Amino acid sequence: MRRPQGPGLVPGIALVAVLLCAGTAGAQVFYQYPGATVVSDTEPALGFTAGIGDDLLRLVGYGRFNVSEVSDFGLELVLDHWDPSFGGDGWRIGVGADFRYAIIPTSTTLPFDLSLDGGLGLQTGNDITSVNIPAGAVISRPLELQNGRILTPYGGLYLVFSHISVDTPPGAPDYDDSDFDVELRLGTSLEIAGGVSGFVTAHVGTVSYTHL
């Protein structure tokens, strides 16, 4: 069976998204890449994803690059638009980076891949600054369909540390809060044609500051 290099995707925070993208796995501070397979040194990933969630529209550009046969790293640029009911109608911009290490890489004889991942993300705008530090593991199993295309279900479990700082109007105290949360990330990718794949993903487990 062919072992695919699954493309990347998915906005975070209790979010469901669909992506069409050419390339391999994306970064994962603000959203989850589909699968645990490390990208190759000849196939770095460049792509775009969009998603919608509770009070949120998210646009993300990303790149993912090989470090070794069992590791890679990702970079993200994210643009969020929050609904006024969240506490202000405005755009926020963020950057993120993560490093992934394959505990059970593609080259093994086992039917699945398993990787550990850690990242750091910073987001600011509309008088709000937030820091996200996710760390966890993701497992995937590529399946070859009768038409030769690759279907890859995957799941990840992450511990996410988050800190938020809100600049308040003059005379009011500023707001700061930190929190840990366990986040489950589930999804699947489907190869469409010629290295282009479509994805659907959901994150369950939202850090508390997203509900201020």
Side-chain angles (χ1 to χ4, degrees), residues 10-11 30-31 47-50 58-62 76-80:
V10 183
F30 294 100
Y31 66 97
F48 171 82
T49 180
R58 170 163 288 175
L59 306 174
V60 182
Y62 66 82
E76 295 168 88
L77 178 64
V78 59
L79 189 63
D80 284 350

Side-chain angles (χ1 to χ4, degrees), residues 9 17 25 109 145 158:
L9 87 8
T109 57
L145 305 179
Y158 286 81

